């Protein structure tokens, strides 16, 4: 006879079924295109990464770019240096804007050339090169740091002359050096946080000043046979500042030259669409205040993985972002900070919860995918759905609430023939979990404080899929939980056999679902 524990487990299961919420994915209703997710290794971090021992270095690269053991990131952001020798390709002034420049290329670019090549070996082909500042001799303050404006932009003149064309030439030459190394820079930016003045590389600009340079850069790229490069602007400190810059640039007619508007999140997260027809990227985000933290969820702290999962969710869904980038990828012996995703002491390599938050998106939603619309809401759960270029559909659930939620996914314009689900929470990192396919709909349980990603394929014919997943959590001892799911897409019958094992190793319940009925096995 069934024990009391078996009846309790059965009742809990029935309760989940009764509380189930339906979400419909309309695969034919497309929204923004997704370009990807990524990181930078600027300011010498790429050189430090390269200098690691081969084993830890390879593990760090896998954590960033592997689609099987890591986050599967697909964008890197390189800094175009503007300092002196060893940083800038034009360390010295030629004397005047019209004088011939002396460019210097060391074939290293502070380790960024190596980092780019490594990323490309994993299939990354979106390379964003961004300048924090023009060289100091091209600016009103004669310094590559401490703000200052590019000489010649609206309202800013210099006794040395108008350096706008020289700055455009400088940026194009940087692109050419990478081109000579077999690397195609796909996106090019000329500003970084133009609303912020700091002692390191920084250059100020408002919308009208940016608009007085953008056509010059556009035409210089075109005259050098580089018109395929996508120009960006403006990497403001946060969403409010970028909204102001975007509005001014759109009014000035700059959308005809630009391809992407870019922003950071330090003075405000992306939470609503920019008023533009162009793509929008969040190109730098980080927790700049916490010490190193690998936690997924504790109390909603700034360094925690779930915090960043929710930021990504809000940016992609509420602000219609096409890309989301964290600041740095891998750092060595920088345990005073959480401004990067993977930490190392030179020997051990440790991924953070933030990395796994990115993985739940980037590993499954690949470049060129389109976000598609959904209908239906689930308490405390953000929902995003996407269609990849290979026809697969991906649905990401971000549950910031304290309760698990049962969700039934139905589809318009798509009939799934197979489904898989992956879970990240305090005890799982992109771990396989249960997705039940029956009658063209998929049922999943989204645990509290977790991200669940569902991937679906349309095989075009009736198929039977059997999935067995074994998960051992950090708090479980004894026999791990094993779940076997058999699904047949041509019928409405799904048979699920589940054995649940408690932390003490005692079997709590075993049951079979046949259609809509549950039967306890003795």
């Amino acid at each position: 006879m069934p024990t009391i524990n078996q009846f309790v487990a059965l009742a809990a299961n029935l309760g989940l079924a009764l509380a189930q919420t339906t979400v419909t994915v309309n695969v034919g209703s497309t929204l923004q295109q997704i370009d990807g997710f990524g990181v930078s290794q600027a300011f010498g971090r790429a050189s430090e990464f390269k200098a690691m021992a081969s084993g830890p270095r390879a593990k760090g690269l896998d954590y960033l770019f592997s689609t099987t053991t890591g986050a599967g990131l697909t964008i890197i952001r390189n800094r175009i240096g503007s300092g002196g020798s060893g940083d800038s390709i034009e360390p010295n002034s030629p004397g005047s804007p019209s004088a011939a420049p002396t460019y210097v290329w060391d074939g290293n670019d502070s380790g960024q050339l190596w980092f780019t090549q490594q990323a490309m070996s994993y299939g990354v082909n979106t390379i964003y090169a961004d300048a924090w500042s023009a060289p100091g001799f091209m600016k009103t303050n004669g310094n590559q740091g401490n703000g200052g404006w590019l000489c010649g932009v609206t309202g800013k003149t210099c006794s040395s002359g108008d350096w706008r064309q020289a700055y455009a030439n400088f940026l194009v030459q940087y692109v050419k050096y990478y081109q000579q190394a077999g690397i195609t820079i796909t996106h090019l930016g000329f500003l970084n946080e133009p609303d912020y003045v700091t002692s390191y590389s920084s250059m100020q600009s408002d919308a009208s000043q940016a608009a007085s340079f953008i056509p010059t850069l556009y035409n210089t790229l075109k005259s050098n046979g580089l018109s395929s490069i996508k120009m960006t602007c403006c990497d403001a400190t946060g969403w409010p500042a970028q909204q102001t810059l975007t509005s001014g640039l759109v009014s000035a007619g700059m959308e005809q030259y630009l391809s992407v508007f870019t922003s950071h999140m330090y003075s405000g997260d992306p939470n609503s669409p920019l008023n533009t027809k162009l793509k929008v990227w969040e190109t730098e985000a980080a927790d700049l205040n916490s010490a190193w933290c690998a936690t997924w969820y504790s109390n909603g702290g700034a360094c925690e993985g779930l915090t960043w999962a929710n930021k990504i969710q809000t940016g992609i869904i509420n602000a219609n972002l096409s890309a989301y980038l964290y600041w740095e990828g891998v750092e060595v012996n920088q345990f005073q900070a959480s401004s990067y995703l993977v930490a190392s002491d030179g020997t051990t390599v440790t991924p953070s919860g933030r990395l796994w938050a990115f993985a739940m998106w980037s590993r499954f939603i690949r470049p060129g995918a389109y976000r598609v619309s959904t209908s239906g809401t689930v308490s405390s759960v953000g929902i995003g759905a996407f269609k990849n270029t290979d026809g697969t559909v991906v649905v990401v659930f971000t549950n910031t609430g304290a309760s698990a939620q049962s969700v039934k996914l139905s589809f318009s314009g798509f009939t799934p023939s197979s489904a898989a689900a992956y879970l990240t929470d305090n005890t799982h990192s992109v771990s396989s979990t249960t997705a039940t396919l029956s009658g063209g709909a998929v049922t999943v349980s989204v645990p509290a404080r977790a991200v669940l990603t569902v991937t679906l394929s349309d095989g075009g014919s009736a198929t039977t899929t059997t999935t067995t997943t074994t998960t051992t959590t950090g708090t479980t001892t004894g026999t791990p939980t094993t779940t076997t799911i058999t699904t047949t897409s041509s019928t409405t019958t799904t048979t699920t056999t589940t054995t649940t094992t408690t932390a003490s190793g005692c079997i709590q319940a075993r049951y079979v679902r046949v259609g809509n009925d549950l039967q306890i096995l003795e």
Side-chain angles (χ1 to χ4, degrees):
M1 293 293 292
T3 67
I4 187 66
N5 282 342
Q6 289 174 319
F7 281 115
V8 169
L10 175 59
N13 189 80
L14 287 170
L16 281 174
L18 293 172
Q20 190 175 90
T21 303
T22 298
V23 172
T24 301
V25 178
N26 187 349
V27 177
S29 176
T30 57
L31 302 168
Q32 81 267 28
Q33 190 178 40
I34 302 300
D35 293 323
F37 304 83
V39 290
S40 179
Q41 291 287 150
F43 289 101
R45 298 309 189 200
S47 289
E48 295 172 2
F49 194 178
K50 181 181 179 182
M52 293 172 66
S54 59
R57 183 177 63 219
K59 193 163 189 177
L61 288 167
D62 279 347
Y63 275 135
L64 294 182
F65 300 117
S66 171
T67 56
T68 55
T69 61
L73 300 176
T74 53
I75 300 175
I76 63 168
R77 176 175 175 247
N78 290 340
R79 171 180 171 265
I80 302 174
S82 53
S85 179
D87 185 52
S88 172
I89 63 169
E90 191 176 359
N92 301 306
S93 172
S96 72
S98 58
T102 300
Y103 295 122
V104 179
W105 177 243
D106 64 4
N108 181 46
D109 197 24
S110 299
Q112 292 182 128
L113 186 73
W114 167 84
F115 181 61
T116 304
Q117 291 168 332
Q118 299 307 305
M120 290 173 64
S121 73
Y122 287 82
V124 174
N125 56 25
T126 301
I127 314 299
Y128 177 31
D130 188 27
W132 269 236
S133 173
F137 56 81
M138 298 184 184
K139 295 169 59 185
T140 57
N141 65 347
N143 188 334
Q144 66 112 16
N146 298 309
W149 289 264
L150 178 64
C151 297
V153 297
T154 301
K156 302 297 175 181
T157 60
C158 300
S159 59
S160 60
D162 183 341
W163 287 85
R164 287 178 294 173
Q165 184 60 60
Y167 184 40
N169 294 341
F170 165 86
L171 295 171
V172 166
Q173 184 59 47
Y174 179 90
V175 170
K176 287 182 176 180
Y177 281 134
Y178 268 77
Q179 190 177 54
Q180 290 168 13
I183 297 169
T184 299
I185 301 293
T186 57
H187 295 75
L188 179 64
F190 62 97
L191 289 173
N192 177 79
E193 298 182 353
D195 53 319
Y196 180 64
V197 175
T198 185
S199 59
Y200 57 82
S201 309
S202 56
M203 186 167 72
Q204 294 162 269
S205 180
D206 63 18
S208 65
Q209 290 157 347
S212 68
F213 174 71
I214 287 169
T216 300
L217 179 56
Y218 178 89
N219 290 324
T220 304
L221 286 167
K222 185 176 181 181
S223 66
N224 281 272
L226 298 170
S227 57
S228 62
I229 293 178
K230 298 175 174 63
M231 286 174 51
T232 74
C233 194
C234 307
D235 281 72
T237 57
W239 209 241
Q242 188 59 47
Q243 286 174 321
T244 300
L245 285 163
T246 300
S247 178
L249 289 168
V250 170
S251 296
M254 292 298 107
E255 286 177 307
Q256 65 180 305
Y257 304 108
L258 298 172
S259 295
V260 183
F261 281 114
T262 51
S263 179
H264 301 174
M265 50 63 69
Y266 302 117
S267 60
D269 283 297
N271 55 15
S272 61
L274 294 182
N275 186 19
T276 177
K277 64 184 180 183
L278 302 183
K279 287 182 176 179
V280 180
W281 288 9
E282 189 288 305
T283 50
E284 186 181 318
D287 171 13
L288 299 180
N289 299 310
S290 303
W292 169 253
C293 147
T295 306
W296 174 256
Y297 177 79
S298 175
N299 57 12
C303 67
E304 295 176 12
L306 184 60
T307 297
W308 285 93
N310 192 47
K311 286 179 181 289
I312 298 169
Q313 158 77 31
T314 301
I316 299 293
I317 305 307
N318 294 4
N320 294 338
L321 295 179
S322 291
Y324 200 109
L325 283 68
Y326 204 74
W327 175 211
E328 299 275 6
V330 174
E331 293 199 14
V332 183
N333 292 320
Q334 297 292 329
F335 297 104
Q336 80 285 354
S338 274
S339 54
Y340 53 101
L341 298 177
V342 179
S344 179
D345 60 3
T347 303
T348 302
V349 182
T350 305
S352 65
R354 300 180 299 283
L355 177 87
W356 299 127
F358 274 85
M360 296 301 286
W361 295 78
S362 188
R363 193 189 284 192
F364 306 102
I365 304 161
R366 305 304 291 170
Y370 277 90
R371 182 178 154 224
V372 298
S373 65
T374 63
S375 59
T377 60
V378 182
S379 177
S380 300
V381 178
I383 305 166
F386 307 84
K387 184 176 182 179
N388 282 313
T389 58
D390 64 1
T392 57
V393 171
V394 178
V395 185
V396 183
F397 298 97
T398 304
N399 187 356
T400 58
S403 301
Q405 301 290 338
S406 181
V407 183
K408 180 178 181 180
L409 281 172
S410 63
F411 301 89
S412 174
F414 179 79
T415 303
S417 61
S418 65
Y422 302 87
L423 171 66
T424 293
D425 61 9
N426 272 336
T427 52
H428 302 83
S429 299
V430 202
S431 300
S432 180
T433 189
T434 302
T436 302
L437 174 62
S438 177
V442 175
T443 302
V444 293
S445 178
V446 186
R449 318 289 194 201
V451 177
L452 186 84
T453 300
V454 182
T455 63
L456 307 114
S457 297
D458 181 358
S461 61
T463 59
T464 299
T465 303
T466 301
T467 303
T468 302
T469 65
T470 302
T471 302
T472 303
T473 71
T475 57
T476 302
T477 59
T479 306
T481 301
T482 301
T483 304
T484 303
I485 312 102
T486 304
T487 62
T488 306
S489 62
S490 60
T491 70
T492 59
T493 301
T494 300
T495 302
T496 303
T497 305
T498 300
T499 303
T500 302
T501 306
T502 67
S504 63
C506 299
I507 293 179
Q508 194 171 52
R510 190 165 186 264
Y511 60 87
V512 170
R513 181 190 292 275
V514 180
N516 293 322
D517 298 323
L518 281 168
Q519 298 177 4
I520 291 180
L521 298 180
E522 299 187 47

